Amino acid sequence: MCGIIGYSGPKEPLPILIGGLSRLEYRGYDSAGVAILDGEKLTIEKKEGKLQILKDHLENSKINGNIGIGHTRWATHGVPNDVNAHPHSDNQKEFAIIHNGIIENYAEMKDDLLKEDFIFESDTDTEVVAVELGNQWTGRLLETVTNVAKKLDGTYALVVTSTKEPGTIVAGRMMSPLVLGVGEGETFLASDSAAILEHTNKMIFLENGDFVEITNGKFKLFDINMNEISREIQEIDWKVSEAEKSGYDHFMYKEILEQAEVIERTISGRLEVGSEEIPIDLNKAKGFEKIWIVACGTAYHAGLFGKDLFEKVLGVPVSVELASEFRYREPIVGKNDLGIVISQSGETMDTIAATELLKENGSHVLALVNVVGSSLARMADSVFYLHVGPEIGVASTKAYLGMLVGQLLLAKHWDSEGKLDTSFDEIKQLPALIEKTFECEDQVKKISKSINEKNDIYFIGRGLDYALAAEGALKLKEISYLHAEALAAGELKHGTLALIEEGTPIIVTASQHHLLDKTTSNVQEVKARGAYVIAVGDSSSKKLQDISNDYITLPEASEMLSTVISIIPLQFIAYHVANLNGESIDQPRNLAKSVTVE
Ligand code: F6R
């Protein structure tokens, strides 16, 4: 949430900042701003609204300099407007600061500063830090920033520059991600590696409490007490083109269509028995007493799918938990338990806190994450990377599929008794199967026209299909703003059936053969109340086909893989409904990618 970019080196900073912010806009898009330092001249420009407004504003301006920092905002404190946009300044306009995270004790700090006659222009917590920097100047920027950081409660990735020390940027992090890009005689800063990938693939992922002092393109790392430290440089193998729209109207659409290719990478090298890419072997897996799958949003929905698989193959109870709830209750976690934390970004605040809880209780933590070097990847005892490349669309698609396939691979490796109705040979064919599933798109486009004007849409399914239904409903509501709800099909008659009337769209996922008759009966019940039924299943579901208004036929596959590919028509439904309604698909209102605040 909120995007950060910074540059120090021989090039003009402004184009680099604007390029970086364009790649970061998915992290927040209610305002954006830049600060450029040219010797002792500090220029700050910021605008409410999408980045394009700032770009238009800066189009003919020539702001030269040797240092620059930029920010795209997802509002926490204060409404989105020009004044609340970052960068913020101290009272003398000598410091410029950008910040991700939340300073929890900002009100107390502000009261103290007000008593000393400092003034404030904005409603943000960040401005308090800027004013405090002006108040605490020690003669060295690094010392001033670390001193102020010691007073802060909460979370931050801070980037600061000042006319008092021209040529220097100081940055630091506590719980909010910050990446250093190491170039030839130049250094970049970003909240997200994809933002600077076009300049360098050499990255340092700062740890909590790390600070960096960058002067004339060169950097030194310190802890909060200004002791020099070192961190490993990692090479990121993502392709720049993966972080670009490449002619598509939307990242989300591009990412849906990339799924065959990226799943090839998820499964690559992981299909052989004994593969070293599988971080926990069968013997170890069998020894766990309980499994906790903990995640948020889409990743949580992926966990619902994993639960049934792991219980089936290991005979170990599995609990799927929302990280935001799990972290604040007192779950009975034991040292012989396995925590599986699932996250695209690896930076979701609630999932990180839940991981800490699991570790404090002595359980082994396995992270299924996409972003290499992310906080969760570093905290976990074992890591399974999804390898689906950068996901820019706020609505997760390819990462979700990667999470399903990742869990399927783990479960298959732990399936000593052949309980899952799929084989490594069949999983190898998954990319081709995904490609074939794309053929339903034209049909989905037509179906989308029948639901784009409805206000309430219900997704139903049983077993693993219910897990998919939950994700289908979330996808639709987050980008189309229509109310969508997922229900276990058998739950309808316990209340929600009261809402079904003539023409209410019901989207049914029915890949689970052993549950087909039961699901079909539930469909009969909604049909009897006039519902408009759109079903997704394979060609064996004759009865369901006959009673559905529209039937999307999946290509032939085992039941397990049919479930996995069933998400594709649901992703297309969400995309095409939102597109018909002209919604801002990659930047849905009120949302942003990578939820690094509570
Ligand atoms: C929805 C979506 C979110 C994320 C959630 C967790 O499309 O993307 O629900 O799944 O914010 O994010 P990660 O996976 O980064 O932990």
Side-chain angles (χ1 to χ4, degrees):
M1 258 167 187
C2 297
I4 282 182
I5 178 92
Y7 177 72
S8 168
K11 300 184 190 128
E12 278 303 331
L14 187 59
I16 293 172
L17 299 185
I18 294 295
L21 290 179
S22 305
R23 292 186 187 281
L24 285 169
E25 212 184 356
Y26 65 99
R27 291 185 73 107
Y29 28 85
D30 56 44
S31 55
V34 293
I36 304 230
L37 195 59
D38 185 14
E40 290 186 11
K41 184 169 168 248
L42 177 64
T43 309
I44 296 182
E45 295 286 352
K46 46 191 193 171
K47 285 278 168 215
E48 177 192 345
K50 297 230 163 140
L51 179 64
Q52 192 55 46
I53 297 175
L54 180 73
K55 282 185 182 167
D56 292 346
H57 172 71
L58 293 174
E59 200 178 351
N60 296 319
S61 58
K62 282 230 169 306
I63 312 173
N64 301 324
N66 48 344
I67 276 187
I69 62 177
H71 190 262
T72 173
R73 180 171 185 246
W74 183 87
T76 56
H77 293 75
V79 296
N81 62 23
D82 288 359
V83 178
N84 288 335
H86 298 213
H88 287 282
S89 246
D90 62 312
N91 283 184
Q92 308 304 322
K93 308 285 177 227
E94 290 170 332
F95 291 81
I97 171 173
I98 55 180
H99 163 225
N100 285 359
I102 293 179
I103 306 300
E104 283 163 7
N105 59 336
Y106 88 106
E108 297 89 305
M109 287 175 70
K110 190 169 181 173
D111 281 348
D112 291 345
L113 289 162
L114 283 168
K115 279 183 205 137
E116 291 182 49
D117 293 333
F118 287 98
I119 54 164
F120 292 88
E121 294 171 359
S122 78
D123 304 317
T124 65
D125 50 347
T126 308
E127 190 186 11
V128 176
V129 184
V131 174
E132 186 67 13
L133 287 166
N135 186 29
Q136 299 256 344
W137 175 246
T138 65
R140 183 176 172 189
L141 190 59
L142 176 69
E143 189 178 35
T144 310
V145 173
T146 50
N147 282 350
V148 170
K150 285 178 189 161
K151 295 185 71 174
L152 305 178
D153 290 339
T155 61
Y156 56 79
L158 292 173
V159 183
V160 185
T161 188
S162 172
T163 59
K164 287 186 163 288
E165 194 174 313
T168 302
I169 299 179
V170 170
R173 77 158 264 181
M174 181 56 69
M175 301 301 282
S176 293
L178 196 57
V179 183
L180 202 67
V182 183
E184 295 288 328
E186 53 186 358
T187 300
F188 303 82
L189 277 163
S191 46
D192 192 327
S193 49
I196 47 176
L197 203 57
E198 64 180 310
H199 304 291
T200 178
N201 70 343
K202 295 191 176 64
M203 313 265 176
I204 294 176
F205 297 91
L206 297 190
E207 305 271 351
N208 286 335
D210 285 0
F211 287 79
V212 59
E213 184 183 53
I214 308 168
T215 309
N216 300 327
K218 300 205 176 68
F219 69 89
K220 277 186 183 167
L221 294 165
F222 299 89
D223 66 15
I224 200 163
N225 295 315
M226 290 183 34
N227 300 307
E228 207 170 327
I229 54 168
S230 63
R231 296 272 176 244
E232 195 192 334
I233 298 182
Q234 299 196 28
E235 291 203 6
I236 302 298
D237 62 2
W238 284 356
K239 288 186 248 152
V240 178
S241 61
E242 285 180 309
E244 283 169 350
K245 256 193 237 164
S246 314
Y248 289 95
D249 287 343
H250 301 105
F251 277 110
M252 181 187 177
Y253 187 57
K254 175 179 176 243
E255 287 161 4
I256 292 173
L257 296 182
E258 261 171 18
Q259 291 181 111
E261 188 189 328
V262 301
I263 292 304
E264 185 91 55
R265 294 205 300 254
T266 308
I267 62 177
S268 162
R270 290 166 164 172
L271 295 173
E272 300 76 35
V273 177
S275 163
E276 288 189 356
E277 285 272 322
I278 300 298
I280 295 177
D281 66 20
L282 174 64
N283 271 346
K284 185 161 179 162
K286 283 214 139 136
F288 293 116
E289 282 171 13
K290 170 149 191 177
I291 298 178
W292 303 86
I293 302 181
V294 193
C296 299
T298 285
Y300 169 80
H301 294 153
L304 295 175
F305 169 89
K307 172 184 164 78
D308 283 14
L309 271 56
F310 299 137
E311 282 188 343
K312 194 179 239 180
V313 301
L314 293 176
V316 171
V318 180
S319 180
V320 190
E321 304 272 340
L322 290 165
S324 56
E325 292 293 314
F326 182 77
R327 64 180 290 194
Y328 288 118
R329 58 186 193 85
E330 290 170 21
I332 305 163
V333 178
K335 62 179 180 346
N336 294 325
D337 294 353
L338 169 66
I340 302 183
V341 294
I342 309 180
S343 173
Q344 188 287 126
S345 62
E347 301 293 350
T348 301
M349 177 70 72
D350 285 322
T351 313
I352 289 175
T355 303
E356 277 163 0
L357 189 154
L358 287 161
K359 285 183 72 95
E360 276 158 21
N361 284 283
S363 50
H364 184 100
V365 174
L366 163 64
L368 254 77
V369 289
N370 189 37
V371 178
V372 174
S374 55
S375 299
L376 282 173
R378 284 177 285 141
M379 289 169 77
D381 301 297
S382 315
V383 184
F384 183 100
Y385 281 117
L386 305 178
H387 291 317
V388 299
E391 188 177 66
I392 311 288
V394 168
S396 180
T397 51
K398 61 177 181 174
Y400 171 75
L401 194 60
M403 291 166 188
L404 298 190
V405 175
Q407 291 177 99
L408 174 59
L409 287 169
L410 289 171
K412 194 63 211 161
H413 278 275
W414 298 340
D415 184 16
S416 51
E417 293 169 33
K419 289 188 173 165
L420 297 180
D421 84 322
T422 187
S423 61
F424 286 127
D425 279 347
E426 198 203 21
I427 298 173
K428 201 172 181 179
Q429 303 308 318
L430 190 54
L433 199 57
I434 294 169
E435 202 72 60
K436 193 131 188 55
T437 314
F438 291 152
E439 290 171 14
C440 73
E441 186 182 1
D442 284 343
Q443 187 191 2
V444 171
K445 262 191 194 166
K446 286 189 202 121
I447 294 172
S448 299
K449 288 192 188 129
S450 62
I451 50 178
N452 74 315
E453 282 167 0
K454 303 286 180 185
N455 287 326
D456 302 294
I457 295 143
Y458 299 90
F459 287 70
I460 63 169
R462 282 174 177 260
L464 293 181
D465 286 316
Y466 168 58
L468 280 254
E471 175 57 6
L474 180 68
K475 280 296 82 89
L476 184 62
K477 67 185 149 193
E478 67 183 322
I479 58 166
S480 72
Y481 315 145
L482 301 176
H483 169 244
E485 192 176 331
L487 288 154
E491 274 295 296
L492 267 168
K493 59 173 101 44
H494 297 289
T496 311
L497 199 56
L499 296 174
I500 309 302
E501 54 187 15
E502 197 59 39
T504 305
I506 301 274
I507 299 175
V508 191
T509 33
S511 64
Q512 302 279 288
H513 291 162
H514 65 291
L515 296 168
L516 196 57
D517 287 345
K518 303 284 169 207
T519 307
T520 307
S521 303
N522 298 132
V523 173
Q524 304 269 29
E525 288 156 11
V526 292
K527 279 292 286 184
R529 272 98 192 156
Y532 185 91
V533 174
I534 299 153
V536 179
D538 64 22
S539 56
S540 65
S541 323
K542 188 80 188 76
K543 202 161 152 200
L544 182 60
Q545 277 186 49
D546 290 346
I547 58 170
S548 301
N549 298 77
D550 290 299
Y551 191 85
I552 299 168
T553 311
L554 298 167
E556 288 310 312
S558 64
E559 191 175 312
M560 179 53 65
L561 293 198
S562 292
T563 308
V564 171
I565 57 174
S566 294
I567 194 60
I568 291 168
L570 305 190
Q571 294 170 338
F572 276 141
I573 288 176
Y575 176 79
H576 286 295
V577 168
N579 211 14
L580 278 171
N581 292 353
E583 302 302 351
S584 169
I585 291 177
D586 282 335
Q587 292 161 1
R589 71 179 177 213
N590 306 340
L591 303 178
K593 205 154 181 83
S594 199
V595 185
T596 53
V597 294
E598 273 195 64

